[in-house]
Amino acid sequence: SDVCSSDLFYHGRQYKVTIAEANDFIYEGRHYKTLSAIAKEICGIKVSGYDFFGLNNKRALKEAAHD
């Protein structure tokens, strides 16, 4: 499987998220099954991970990972 890192942004701050597999995202050394779980870790509330990071769908995430 391909491992990609992507710089995602929220309120002007950069967050490095590594996409190890389809349902394996790594943020600050911890594994998460969804971007939403990472978004909740950052902002403290349940929110759509794609909306939180300004990605409108999984294709956008895949494209962001390869930038």
Side-chain angles (χ1 to χ4, degrees), residues 19-35:
I19 306 144
E21 293 183 24
N23 293 311
D24 186 17
F25 301 92
I26 304 166
Y27 169 66
E28 293 192 341
R30 294 180 59 199
H31 290 259
Y32 297 85
K33 291 183 180 180
T34 65
L35 278 179

Side-chain angles (χ1 to χ4, degrees), residues 8-10 15 17 25 33-43 45-58 60-61:
L8 302 177
F9 295 86
Y10 172 68
Y15 297 89
V17 175
F25 301 92
K33 291 183 180 180
T34 65
L35 278 179
S36 296
I38 296 171
K40 184 177 180 184
E41 183 75 23
I42 292 168
C43 73
I45 60 171
K46 187 174 182 179
V47 63
S48 163
Y50 295 101
D51 291 342
F52 181 83
F53 289 114
L55 302 169
N56 60 5
N57 59 39
K58 291 181 181 180
L61 176 64

